[in-house]
Amino acid sequence: MEKTMPKARKRRRRRRDRGSASDTVLKITQPLFNVPPYDLVDAEKLQLIHHKSMQILEEAGIAFYDDEAQAILSRHGVKVVDDIAYFDRGLIMEYIAKAPSQFTWSARNPERDVIIGGKHVCFGPVAGPPYVVDRDHGRRQSTHQDLINFLKLTQLSPYLHSAGSETVVSSDIPIEYRHLELMYAHLIYGDKPVMGVYHTGEIGQDSIELAKIAFGVEAMAQKHYLHCIVNVSSPRRLDDRMLSLMIAYARNNQIINVTPFILSGAMGPVSILGTVAQLNAETLAGIVFAQMIVPGTPSVYGSFQAVIDLQSGAPVFGAPESQLALYLSGQLARHYGLPFRAAGAYASSKIIDAQGGYESVMSMLPSLFAQPNFILHAAGWLEAGLSAGYEKFILDCELLGMYHTYLKGINWDEDEWAMDAILDEVPPGGHHLGTSHTQRHFRSAFYRAEMFDYDSGEGWLAKGAMDVYKRANKTYKQRLQEYEQPPLDPAIEEALRAYIEKTTAD
Amino acid sequence: MEKTMPKARKRRRRRRDRGSASDTVLKITQPLFNVPPYDLVDAEKLQLIHHKSMQILEEAGIAFYDDEAQAILSRHGVKVVDDIAYFDRGLIMEYIAKAPSQFTWSARNPERDVIIGGKHVCFGPVAGPPYVVDRDHGRRQSTHQDLINFLKLTQLSPYLHSAGSETVVSSDIPIEYRHLELMYAHLIYGDKPVMGVYHTGEIGQDSIELAKIAFGVEAMAQKHYLHCIVNVSSPRRLDDRMLSLMIAYARNNQIINVTPFILSGAMGPVSILGTVAQLNAETLAGIVFAQMIVPGTPSVYGSFQAVIDLQSGAPVFGAPESQLALYLSGQLARHYGLPFRAAGAYASSKIIDAQGGYESVMSMLPSLFAQPNFILHAAGWLEAGLSAGYEKFILDCELLGMYHTYLKGINWDEDEWAMDAILDEVPPGGHHLGTSHTQRHFRSAFYRAEMFDYDSGEGWLAKGAMDVYKRANKTYKQRLQEYEQPPLDPAIEEALRAYIEKTTAD
């Protein structure tokens, strides 16, 4: 086949795969689920889970530790006693129905806007690790330069559609204004949709103010530029940090993603059904509250579940039980007609060895079967989320590239049957290498993973027997060299810096 | 949790995971698909594929390069012209209906009999590589000692239910009687179901004769002890080696597994639909022929498909296109009511690095969604099947262990809701570590992958920062130490040796 592939095509392919800033980033297209979702259980069994969740909401309730939030709940007919809100199931369904089933998450560059909901999926990088790891320097505390590096790699990858949030912690920046520098970096180094910083209402408000400078006050009022994760502190608890954040985001027309984090055996029961019922109750309570603040607030049904290792208490990602729980969460989100968030290329491994590889697909592929509309932590995640790996990031992006092809599903064009080749051109024992069908289609056939080695054993040995860790190490450094900053009006940059100076001076 | 787990339990668990011959092997249970299969397309689209396959069988036909085979076909109403058999679709469906939808594959130890068909799945190790690789010695030609080692590791793993066939090539044994020593080793070193050697009818017959000595002539007539893979030499060709093998197996009541091997772009079109239609036609033709030799012959619908790298011509395993093709093959096999074979923990990687990890799950998990009844190559496969990895074997078995849990699906016992814990015992923000529900269930909760590291980053560093390749290297050597040969009547062993001496002397 080597000879039949025109040179221009090869060059184009190489350029795309390397991901140079000049052309690749423009080619992003958010994939669609052109394959059906996986329904683990039938409608009747799903109703059973729904009913158990309703029982939890009605009888056990959810704690809302914030006066303003309690006032909002009471005003909307929720019974609040001793900080605990008891939700009637009719009320739950009434307010869930107010949440849009699909909306646009806007980017600085409108060509990079993404749709959250329906058949659309959006991938984002890992968020939150305080450590980074690479092959040269091992594991170390992450710095602001690491954050910038990951923002650059995110901007360069055609398979990440959002820049996520706080890819790694800028531990060398004082905590008081770290969130400002973080938000600034997100706004400067890339032009894909950003999440903002969302630890508390106050921090969330700073993100909103910076976004107003970057995108304009009017645009922020009309569009959804920011996206926060509201972490339900499971079991059954929303604290004042999260509640004030929700109020700030809802009142500013921005996206609220309600995601309980449950380690089954610790924040939830040691069983799949109990965990999913509790998780469902918690997520729905959060979304209902968002709709009570401002009806129509873009809201996402989040699910983040792992199990604990019953010997050490450590979190275990990619466990078989988690895969099953994920399918149920996906079915529930579809049942409620809500955009769904799940993740990601999870791994408990400390480095991107074979364990890291196994675990990543064991998390990522089940997630695709559950069909989330937003997959955060889709690249770079290691050490149960405590570490971001440079090489892991590159390899996960490769995986996402494959899934871009996978999600296209079957092409039903008549020519895909290749009947002219099968019936007329190729005799028994012949080959399809030179058929006219192959000539017509080889250009678009088969995704090629550039980071994977498909050479013969001998060829691989002759080239130095490099494992994929070494290859990805070379690639991430090359990519950082290739990065070009997307243009931004200097006046905006200046105004952002002025806001940061003013706020840190206060 | 550490403290709450009784010591006896820990010991038991450790023993099971290590897999010592004395107890572990006894605990094998073949898993059931307690999760639904994945239907990629609806019934109407599936019929389209069926019709294209029928068109191929009727209009292009399948070459049968063997006089006796052609005579059998003609006798049963198949039109044969110039070595090519043209199958009428009515005849295809009539003979497919004669194949049993489920049967037992018998083992030397009847406790290890497996069921092939229905909701049952049977895992077997890699078969066929001429190379082995491990962390100490790298890649090298495999020897008979390597074969024996892999047979021992297979016998020890509670997650492999069959010993497969020729795990690696015994390159240090002259080719004329290699198949005899291979079959002998299979019969001696383990007591799980074996496949026999199946390169030609003559070689197949030798396996059958040795099996008659090991299992008894009468038992062989009544049960199915051997299992051969009939490789359709795609496109559309069955040669005299495969056809004489089929005739020998069918006449001796043994299992015939018809598996085309198609690299899309070479032995089949560069499209998914064309490949699947051709593969389906080839498999059905083989099974129909088996039923014409002896009606009711236990037959398996096999699918083995990868794509070629259009830059180098090398096979690519775990490609997105292959995953989609696999779901279609699974649907077709279910549609015809035939036991289904697919595989496996495929990898193109030369070693078990992250690429090997990603690729293995990218092949294995889609396979489980397609619900094969027999998954050969489920452990050890590297380098597109040219190499068997010792450490890869250990890690793939770990993966299979996880899938044993995964396939159990959801437990619907009332206590799984944990409502006493959620509603009464655990307050908002509390934890489930000590609930009575956790106490009742932690013993059976959560599969634990022994080879995977779930420690903290600091703990992992303190223990020497071993990657999983190192850990698996230790484990495979430990296991080989622990192996104990399952008892066999010395008279049988002697008779097997006598047959081999006699045959090699001829």
Side-chain angles (χ1 to χ4, degrees):
Chain A
M1 294 311 303
E2 181 70 8
K3 279 175 200 147
T4 56
M5 187 177 292
K7 274 201 180 145
R9 166 69 194 159
K10 274 205 213 165
R11 243 193 332 266
R12 206 157 55 234
R13 167 171 289 195
R14 246 197 321 267
R15 240 185 338 201
R16 186 196 62 202
D17 294 324
R18 212 191 295 137
S20 88
S22 47
D23 65 343
T24 332
V25 190
L26 289 171
K27 288 186 194 140
I28 300 174
T29 42
Q30 199 187 355
L32 290 173
F33 286 110
N34 277 324
V35 295
Y38 182 63
D39 286 336
L40 181 62
V41 299
D42 60 23
E44 199 184 320
K45 289 256 163 62
L46 201 69
Q47 274 299 321
L48 276 181
I49 302 174
H50 169 74
H51 286 311
K52 291 292 179 186
S53 299
M54 293 301 121
Q55 192 186 348
I56 293 168
L57 287 166
E58 287 176 342
E59 296 177 23
I62 307 287
F64 280 71
Y65 294 121
D66 180 84
D67 290 341
E68 189 178 1
Q70 290 184 17
I72 294 170
L73 290 165
S74 300
R75 248 200 332 272
H76 289 82
V78 180
K79 188 176 77 181
V80 183
V81 183
D82 293 339
D83 295 331
I84 297 187
Y86 299 88
F87 291 86
D88 174 82
R89 63 183 72 194
L91 209 64
I92 288 280
M93 297 313 286
E94 183 189 334
Y95 279 87
I96 286 300
K98 295 184 196 293
S101 60
Q102 183 173 310
F103 54 83
T104 297
W105 182 10
S106 297
R108 190 177 107 194
N109 177 348
E111 284 182 31
R112 307 209 197 296
D113 284 0
V114 296
I115 296 172
I116 301 292
K119 286 280 169 200
H120 299 79
V121 57
C122 165
F123 297 135
V126 64
Y131 297 97
V132 290
V133 59
D134 79 344
R135 197 174 177 278
D136 305 311
H137 308 102
R139 178 180 181 270
R140 61 189 189 280
Q141 266 207 318
S142 54
T143 63
H144 198 59
Q145 186 56 52
D146 290 310
L147 174 83
I148 292 169
N149 288 345
F150 278 109
L151 287 175
K152 290 177 177 178
L153 293 173
T154 298
Q155 174 70 7
L156 284 169
S157 172
Y159 307 123
L160 293 170
H161 321 102
S162 142
S165 170
E166 196 170 19
T167 318
V168 295
V169 174
S170 304
S171 63
D172 51 347
I173 295 187
I175 197 158
E176 306 81 57
Y177 53 94
R178 189 182 291 162
H179 67 283
L180 298 168
E181 292 298 343
L182 166 59
M183 190 63 197
Y184 176 77
H186 266 78
L187 293 169
I188 294 295
Y189 289 102
D191 61 1
K192 300 181 181 182
V194 297
M195 298 195 70
V197 194
Y198 42 72
H199 304 309
T200 67
E202 206 180 334
I203 283 177
Q205 194 64 49
D206 271 335
S207 284
I208 290 169
E209 297 309 320
L210 285 167
K212 282 180 184 168
I213 296 170
F215 309 126
V217 173
E218 205 170 313
M220 275 286 281
Q222 286 166 2
K223 297 181 182 180
H224 319 303
Y225 282 98
L226 298 186
H227 185 152
C228 72
I229 304 279
V230 169
N231 179 16
V232 181
S233 313
S234 302
R236 298 165 38 236
R237 177 180 53 168
L238 278 157
D239 63 20
D240 55 342
R241 295 172 307 149
M242 288 297 113
L243 292 166
S244 58
L245 173 70
M246 289 177 83
I247 293 170
Y249 262 62
R251 292 195 176 144
N252 283 281
N253 191 34
Q254 302 305 306
I255 305 162
I256 293 177
N257 190 318
V258 182
T259 305
F261 170 36
I262 299 189
L263 288 176
S264 296
M267 298 88 113
V270 286
S271 59
I272 297 173
L273 283 181
T275 295
V276 172
Q278 179 190 317
L279 197 150
N280 187 43
E282 292 173 348
T283 306
L284 292 180
I287 292 177
V288 163
F289 175 63
Q291 299 306 315
M292 287 178 173
I293 311 168
V294 179
T297 292
S299 304
V300 180
Y301 181 108
S303 163
F304 191 118
Q305 185 274 344
V307 306
I308 61 164
D309 175 5
L310 289 164
Q311 278 185 28
S312 68
V316 173
F317 285 89
E321 297 83 3
S322 299
Q323 305 180 23
L324 298 167
L326 186 56
Y327 305 141
L328 296 179
S329 289
Q331 276 192 263
L332 287 163
R334 284 195 293 283
H335 173 72
Y336 299 122
L338 292 168
F340 178 44
R341 176 234 164 166
Y346 293 150
S348 289
S349 184
K350 269 41 97 188
I351 48 169
I352 182 58
D353 57 359
Q355 177 182 342
Y358 282 102
E359 289 180 323
S360 297
V361 186
M362 272 160 50
S363 296
M364 196 66 201
L365 183 53
S367 187
L368 293 181
F369 276 99
Q371 301 208 341
N373 305 105
F374 180 40
I375 303 190
L376 190 62
H377 308 306
W381 167 296
L382 281 172
E383 198 190 326
L386 290 176
S387 182
Y390 278 97
E391 294 88 355
K392 171 81 155 51
F393 191 96
I394 298 295
L395 294 176
D396 285 340
C397 285
E398 192 74 278
L399 187 68
L400 298 178
M402 290 191 199
Y403 287 137
H404 273 65
T405 292
Y406 174 86
L407 292 179
K408 286 182 193 159
I410 302 293
N411 178 350
W412 288 96
D413 289 353
E414 191 59 30
D415 203 32
E416 289 288 302
W417 296 107
M419 281 293 142
D420 54 337
I422 294 174
L423 298 181
D424 305 324
E425 285 186 61
V426 182
H431 66 77
H432 283 254
L433 292 171
T435 66
S436 40
H437 179 268
T438 299
Q439 293 295 326
R440 286 197 299 277
H441 293 284
F442 79 91
R443 281 183 184 77
S444 58
F446 311 151
Y447 178 82
R448 191 169 197 281
E450 287 294 323
M451 293 309 308
F452 284 8
D453 187 284
Y454 298 121
D455 209 341
S456 65
E458 289 72 17
W460 178 76
L461 287 167
K463 283 186 310 185
M466 267 205 281
D467 67 21
V468 76
Y469 198 17
K470 252 190 225 171
R471 297 196 299 273
N473 178 269
K474 271 175 72 173
T475 301
Y476 98 73
K477 292 181 213 164
Q478 234 168 47
R479 295 232 174 125
L480 288 178
Q481 294 292 327
E482 285 165 6
Y483 169 82
E484 290 166 29
Q485 196 166 318
L488 179 66
D489 181 351
I492 290 180
E493 213 166 317
E494 224 167 278
L496 291 170
R497 289 269 26 126
Y499 180 88
I500 294 173
E501 305 312 323
K502 187 186 145 290
T503 312
T504 52
D506 284 350
Chain B
M1 290 315 300
E2 180 69 9
K3 279 176 201 149
T4 56
M5 186 179 291
K7 276 204 179 141
R9 166 70 192 158
K10 275 205 212 163
R11 246 194 328 268
R12 207 156 55 233
R13 168 172 287 195
R14 247 197 319 268
R15 238 182 343 198
R16 185 195 62 200
D17 294 323
R18 214 191 295 135
S20 88
S22 48
D23 65 341
T24 332
V25 190
L26 290 173
K27 286 185 195 140
I28 298 173
T29 41
Q30 200 188 353
L32 291 173
F33 286 110
N34 277 324
V35 295
Y38 182 63
D39 287 335
L40 181 63
V41 299
D42 60 24
E44 200 184 320
K45 290 255 165 63
L46 202 69
Q47 274 300 321
L48 276 181
I49 302 174
H50 169 75
H51 287 310
K52 291 291 178 185
S53 299
M54 294 301 120
Q55 192 186 350
I56 294 168
L57 287 166
E58 289 176 341
E59 297 177 22
I62 307 286
F64 280 70
Y65 293 121
D66 181 83
D67 291 341
E68 188 178 3
Q70 290 183 17
I72 294 170
L73 289 166
S74 300
R75 244 194 343 267
H76 289 82
V78 180
K79 188 176 77 181
V80 183
V81 182
D82 292 339
D83 295 331
I84 297 188
Y86 298 89
F87 291 85
D88 174 82
R89 65 184 69 198
L91 209 65
I92 288 280
M93 297 314 286
E94 182 189 334
Y95 279 87
I96 286 300
K98 295 185 196 292
S101 60
Q102 183 173 309
F103 54 83
T104 297
W105 182 10
S106 296
R108 192 176 106 193
N109 178 347
E111 282 182 32
R112 309 212 197 294
D113 285 359
V114 296
I115 297 172
I116 300 294
K119 286 281 169 197
H120 299 79
V121 56
C122 165
F123 296 135
V126 64
Y131 296 96
V132 290
V133 58
D134 80 342
R135 197 174 177 277
D136 306 312
H137 308 102
R139 178 180 181 270
R140 61 189 189 281
Q141 265 208 320
S142 54
T143 63
H144 198 58
Q145 186 55 52
D146 289 311
L147 174 81
I148 291 169
N149 288 346
F150 277 110
L151 287 175
K152 290 178 177 178
L153 294 173
T154 298
Q155 174 70 5
L156 283 169
S157 172
Y159 306 122
L160 292 170
H161 320 102
S162 143
S165 170
E166 196 171 19
T167 318
V168 295
V169 174
S170 304
S171 63
D172 50 347
I173 296 187
I175 196 157
E176 305 82 57
Y177 53 94
R178 190 182 289 162
H179 67 283
L180 298 167
E181 293 298 343
L182 166 60
M183 190 64 196
Y184 176 76
H186 266 77
L187 293 169
I188 293 296
Y189 290 102
D191 61 1
K192 301 181 181 183
V194 297
M195 297 195 71
V197 194
Y198 41 72
H199 303 310
T200 68
E202 206 181 333
I203 283 176
Q205 193 64 47
D206 271 335
S207 285
I208 290 169
E209 297 309 322
L210 286 167
K212 282 181 183 166
I213 296 170
F215 308 126
V217 173
E218 206 171 312
M220 275 286 281
Q222 285 166 4
K223 296 182 183 180
H224 319 302
Y225 282 98
L226 298 185
H227 185 151
C228 71
I229 305 280
V230 170
N231 179 15
V232 180
S233 312
S234 303
R236 299 165 36 235
R237 178 178 55 167
L238 278 157
D239 63 22
D240 55 342
R241 295 171 307 147
M242 288 296 113
L243 292 166
S244 57
L245 173 71
M246 289 178 82
I247 292 171
Y249 262 62
R251 291 196 176 143
N252 283 282
N253 192 34
Q254 303 305 305
I255 304 162
I256 294 177
N257 189 319
V258 182
T259 305
F261 170 37
I262 299 187
L263 288 176
S264 297
M267 299 89 113
V270 286
S271 59
I272 297 174
L273 283 181
T275 295
V276 172
Q278 179 189 317
L279 197 150
N280 187 43
E282 293 173 347
T283 306
L284 291 180
I287 292 177
V288 163
F289 176 62
Q291 298 306 315
M292 288 178 172
I293 312 168
V294 178
T297 292
S299 305
V300 180
Y301 181 109
S303 162
F304 190 117
Q305 186 274 343
V307 306
I308 62 164
D309 176 5
L310 290 165
Q311 278 184 27
S312 68
V316 173
F317 284 89
E321 296 84 2
S322 299
Q323 305 179 23
L324 298 167
L326 187 55
Y327 305 140
L328 295 180
S329 289
Q331 277 192 262
L332 286 163
R334 285 194 293 284
H335 173 72
Y336 300 123
L338 292 167
F340 178 45
R341 176 235 163 165
Y346 293 149
S348 290
S349 185
K350 268 43 96 187
I351 48 169
I352 182 57
D353 57 359
Q355 177 182 341
Y358 282 103
E359 289 180 323
S360 298
V361 186
M362 272 160 49
S363 297
M364 194 66 201
L365 183 53
S367 187
L368 293 181
F369 276 99
Q371 301 207 341
N373 304 104
F374 180 39
I375 303 191
L376 190 63
H377 309 306
W381 168 296
L382 281 172
E383 198 190 325
L386 290 177
S387 181
Y390 277 96
E391 295 87 356
K392 171 81 157 47
F393 190 96
I394 298 296
L395 294 176
D396 284 341
C397 285
E398 191 74 279
L399 188 68
L400 297 178
M402 291 192 199
Y403 287 137
H404 273 65
T405 293
Y406 173 85
L407 293 178
K408 286 183 193 159
I410 301 295
N411 178 349
W412 287 95
D413 289 352
E414 192 58 28
D415 204 31
E416 289 288 302
W417 296 107
M419 280 294 142
D420 55 337
I422 294 174
L423 297 181
D424 304 325
E425 286 186 61
V426 182
H431 66 77
H432 283 255
L433 293 169
T435 66
S436 40
H437 179 267
T438 299
Q439 293 295 327
R440 287 198 298 277
H441 293 283
F442 79 92
R443 280 183 184 77
S444 58
F446 310 151
Y447 178 81
R448 191 170 198 280
E450 286 295 323
M451 292 310 306
F452 283 8
D453 187 283
Y454 298 121
D455 210 340
S456 65
E458 290 72 17
W460 178 76
L461 287 167
K463 283 187 309 186
M466 267 205 282
D467 67 22
V468 76
Y469 198 17
K470 253 190 224 172
R471 297 197 300 272
N473 178 269
K474 272 176 71 173
T475 301
Y476 99 73
K477 291 181 213 163
Q478 235 168 45
R479 295 231 175 125
L480 287 178
Q481 293 293 327
E482 285 165 6
Y483 170 82
E484 289 166 28
Q485 196 165 318
L488 180 65
D489 182 351
I492 290 180
E493 214 166 315
E494 224 168 276
L496 291 170
R497 289 272 20 130
Y499 181 89
I500 294 173
E501 306 311 325
K502 187 186 147 291
T503 311
T504 52
D506 284 351

